[in-house]
Structure formats: structure tokens, C-alpha cells
Amino acid sequence: MLTVAACKKTEQPVMNSQLNADQTTLATTTYQPLTVITIAGQAFQQANVDGPGNQARFYSPHDISIAEDGSLYVTDRINNSIRKINTSNVVSTVTIPPNTDGETLQFPEGIFIAKDGTMTVLQEVQYLDKTPHPFWIIKPDGQVITPATRTDNYWDYKYLSIAFDPYSNYLKTCGARRVVQHSSQYTPFMEDLEIRNGVIGANRYVPPVDSFAMENRGTSTFANMYCAYNGVKYFVVQNRYIFKLTPSGVFTRIYRDLDLNSVSSMVATKDSRTIYIVNRGRIEAISNGKKQFLVGPNIDFSGSGDGVGSQANVQAFKLALSKDERTIYFTDAARSTVRKLILK
């Protein structure tokens, strides 16, 4: 089980109630474990506004990634933009020029920021016959690359998630593939986001069909994934089943006895002993095969939803774990905010 430590004095960004247009410095504050704090956006106010903390506005913040300097990058889906939240909680919009075909970024979903600042964005896609450029790569100098994706004559592909694999130092993607123009038959897949001759995608992996229950063998998808530091890759299938793929190639379902449904995100500690998931909007921890509730939705839908443990009101969607593993940053699309959960 996750052990909740005693209160510790940590250096954290100031709470939204303390922010104003000129205040961007850090304050030393004591927080209880499992405290939820809204760091950017205002609950239930949807717009496209840059600025400090609660003066900023989002419209359906989706995925989140932590840069080397501690800044957060968020896909602001309905605003068709990428938003940056610096370590003082000031929000700005990242400038992304059109690609060479004149296309602009539309409905960004997945995001990852590499150590050198390269940004990889997955925009909302249907199958490739409808979305030719699902991946946008934005270099630190502003160069935009939208490579073609691998295709064949039998399958087309829908990409649903991207994740960094520290074991191989590659970005991975996963989703579902279907027989061309046959939407009722599809199976999950994973591949490297590697560009070869201007085309992205290599080392495709498709799990054995008999890994899934009989009724799901023709309709399974990898809805999202996480690559752990021990080389294990975790997949969420149909938003409710968790599978793992070991470095030796063993693919199997885990956590069969846990109540899981609508799992939208997953991260793990470096030792892989604790996995944090979003399950029905709740943030939960899985350790030693047991699941522990941390924070989640409650009856009170008003206000920011900030608070401690069960007193906080959270509708989490995507997670990012800080380097020191003391804080989970997450998007709360229902409130159009970006928030954090202090673990210890």
C-alpha cells in the first residue's frame, strides 16, 4: 500500500488565491500529504487566456508532460494549442507554425517534451485514411516536422497514446489497427516513433490474439500506455484492463481482481513498485497488487475542488509524476484546470 508520510515543509508554487498579475515567485509553504492545489486555470471557466495562475484559462486541457526545467506542457484540446506553465505558474501559449502543407495543429491530445526541448504532439486522429499527419514534432528552434506514417495494403492505423521508453530511449505509440475500410474488426498494436526516410514508425508489436478474452479478440485497443524504467510496458485495453509486456516478450493481463473502469492515465515510480492510475476520474495507487484511493470526485461540484484527500473534488484525466516522485501533476478537463496532488 502507499504510505502517507507526515507533513513536510517543501518549496512549492503559491496557491491560486495568492497569485496576482505581478506575483510569480515561489513561497515556502507547509502542505499535508494528499493536498490538491489548482495551479492554473479557473474552475468551470473555459476560454483561451494566458497569464499567472488562476488568471489563465483553458478549454479542455488534455495531456501533460514535464520538461527538464520543471515547466509543464499541456495539450489544450479545444483551443487547438499547446500551453506552457512555468515553475512560477505563469501560463503562455507555445507558437507552432503550420507545417509545409499549410496544415495547423488541430485537437492536440498526447504530448511529450524531450530533454533537448523537442516537443512531440499527437493530434486527434481517425484512421490514417482521414488523418495523414497525426504526429507533430516541434524542434526548439521552431521547426515543425509532420512525417508520414507507415502504411500497408491490408491494415490502417489509429494512434491513441504516446509514451517515452527509458529502457530503449525511444518514444512509443500505441492504438488500434483495422482491416482497411473494415471498422468492425480491429486489434491493438505498439511501435517506435522513429523516422526513417521521412516516414515515422518502426518495430511494430501486435500482441497474440489469444491474450484477450474470446469476446474481445476482434475489438481490443491499446487506449494508453506507460513505459517503466525496468523495461516493462503497461497497456490499458478497452479502458478497463491492464496488461504488461516484459522485456523478454511475455504479454499478460495483471490486476485481474481490481475494480477498474475508464482508466485514462497511468504512471509509475522508477522502482515500479507503485503505479498511479486515473480510474473513473479518481487518482489511485496500486502497490503489491492492492489499490488505494487517493483523491477523486465527490458530491460537491462547486468551487475549485482544492482540499486534502477525500475533501478534495477531483475529476482527473492525465497524470505526470515529478522527478522526485513527491508530486503528481494532472489535468482536470471537467474544471478546465491544471492541478497537482502532493504525495509527501
Side-chain angles (χ1 to χ4, degrees), residues 207-274:
V209 174
D210 59 6
S211 301
F212 305 103
M214 184 63 70
E215 63 271 20
N216 299 326
R217 289 182 180 178
T219 57
S220 291
T221 63
F222 284 158
N224 56 77
M225 65 180 293
Y226 182 79
C227 302
Y229 282 82
N230 60 359
V232 175
K233 296 170 182 62
Y234 296 92
F235 301 92
V236 178
V237 175
Q238 294 180 310
N239 296 307
R240 62 180 307 177
Y241 309 114
I242 297 180
F243 285 73
K244 73 175 183 179
L245 175 65
T246 67
S248 62
V250 177
F251 181 78
T252 185
R253 184 181 165 190
I254 57 177
Y255 306 137
R256 292 174 180 266
D257 298 329
L258 300 184
D259 177 24
L260 302 173
N261 200 351
S262 298
V263 178
S264 60
S265 189
M266 178 170 41
V267 295
T269 55
K270 285 190 176 181
D271 62 11
S272 298
R273 293 181 179 178
T274 302

Side-chain angles (χ1 to χ4, degrees), residues 4-18 26-39 89 306-308 326-327 340-344:
V4 178
C7 299
K8 292 190 177 181
K9 193 172 184 180
T10 57
E11 190 175 73
Q12 301 289 346
V14 293
M15 296 178 66
N16 279 347
S17 60
Q18 298 171 295
L26 297 179
T28 301
T29 310
T30 299
Y31 295 120
Q32 291 180 255
L34 301 187
T35 296
V36 174
I37 301 169
T38 300
I39 61 173
N89 293 349
D306 290 352
V308 181
R326 298 171 62 88
T327 304
K340 68 179 181 181
L341 168 65
I342 297 173
L343 298 172
K344 53 187 176 180

Side-chain angles (χ1 to χ4, degrees), residues 99 119 133 135-139 142-147 195 198:
N99 68 4
M119 181 189 314
H133 299 117
F135 299 104
W136 285 58
I137 301 170
I138 301 95
K139 295 292 186 179
Q143 179 189 11
V144 173
I145 303 170
T146 52
I195 300 176

